[in-house]
């Protein structure tokens, strides 16, 4: 079975036989898959009335477990945005009644951000829909092959996630 990447590699080998274009076999496919995943995610979020950043904050709260609340600082560390950006996001989510703020009983100056029932319902539905779409993207692979691919991708990504490659 040949695909567009095979054609791309063949063309580059013809045009630049002096270069080793073998990384394209893997990374061009990863790039193409990332585009399909991005489309699936955006469609899932839109279907549930969420922007990607909203989903990011809401899932961070949901994964925290009951009572589904974190400090703004914990949210910003988990989502890798600036303090000002997180404040704006919390304001917008609170205005949409997806989260609420309350004073932090452990820190008189602090607040905690928690999911509302509406926020939890919305994120749970969007997450279930996203997983359905992601299962569809992987449907061509047997479960064992999915696990093998996950292991190989983890091996490639580990140095980046630990900061060893300057990322």
């Amino acid at each position: 079975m040949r695909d567009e990447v095979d054609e791309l590699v063949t063309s580059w080998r013809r045009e630049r036989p002096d270069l080793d274009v073998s990384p394209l076999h893997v990374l061009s496919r990863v790039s193409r898959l990332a585009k399909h995943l991005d489309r699936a995610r955006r469609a899932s979020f839109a279907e549930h009335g969420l922007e990607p950043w909203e989903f990011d904050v809401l899932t961070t709260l949901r994964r925290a477990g009951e009572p589904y609340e974190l400090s703004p600082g914990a949210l910003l560390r988990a989502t890798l945005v600036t303090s000002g950006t997180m404040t704006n996001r919390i304001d917008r989510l609170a205005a949409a009644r997806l989260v609420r703020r309350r004073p932090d009983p452990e820190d008189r100056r602090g607040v905690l951000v928690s999911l509302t029932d509406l926020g939890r319902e919305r994120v749970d539905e969007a997450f279930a829909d996203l997983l359905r779409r992601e299962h569809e993207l992987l449907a061509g692979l047997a479960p064992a092959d999915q696990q093998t691919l996950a292991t190989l991708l983890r091996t490639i990504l580990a140095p980046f996630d630990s900061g060893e490659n300057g990322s």
Side-chain angles (χ1 to χ4, degrees):
M1 166 178 34
R2 290 183 60 81
D3 65 4
E4 292 180 23
V5 173
D6 291 319
E7 300 303 320
L8 179 132
V9 170
T10 298
S11 296
W12 276 118
R13 282 191 173 139
R14 182 187 67 243
E15 294 300 315
R16 292 295 309 265
D18 57 313
L19 296 177
D20 175 10
V21 297
S22 61
L24 296 176
H25 281 292
V26 174
L27 299 177
S28 289
R29 288 184 176 96
V30 168
S31 177
R32 288 169 186 256
L33 180 58
K35 289 176 184 173
H36 290 289
L37 177 58
D38 185 58
R39 286 186 197 124
R41 286 183 169 181
R42 288 183 182 278
S44 178
F45 304 156
E47 189 171 306
H48 297 280
L50 296 172
E51 294 292 331
W53 66 265
E54 291 173 308
F55 183 83
D56 194 26
V57 174
L58 296 174
T59 56
T60 300
L61 289 167
R62 182 65 169 97
R63 288 191 318 266
E66 286 195 58
Y68 312 114
E69 70 182 7
L70 294 168
S71 69
L75 279 170
L76 89 97
R77 284 188 298 279
T79 59
L80 304 174
V81 298
T82 65
S83 176
T85 297
M86 182 52 66
T87 297
N88 180 272
R89 290 179 175 186
I90 294 168
D91 288 345
R92 292 173 65 184
L93 289 166
R97 299 185 339 265
L98 300 174
V99 303
R100 75 174 138 272
R101 289 182 174 98
R102 71 175 184 93
D104 185 341
E106 306 292 318
D107 177 0
R108 291 184 319 166
R109 296 170 298 162
V111 298
L112 294 172
V113 179
S114 58
L115 277 177
T116 62
D117 290 341
L118 177 63
R120 183 173 159 204
E121 179 182 309
R122 182 91 50 90
V123 75
D124 281 353
E125 290 172 357
F127 185 58
D129 184 53
L130 174 61
L131 287 175
R132 179 188 57 76
R133 293 169 193 257
E134 289 183 354
H135 278 286
E136 289 173 5
L137 285 173
L138 294 172
L141 290 178
D145 291 334
Q146 290 180 33
Q147 185 58 49
T148 298
L149 180 57
T151 299
L152 293 170
L153 291 171
R154 183 182 305 110
T155 301
I156 291 171
L157 289 170
F160 295 98
D161 290 344
S162 68
E164 291 175 21
N165 280 335
S167 299

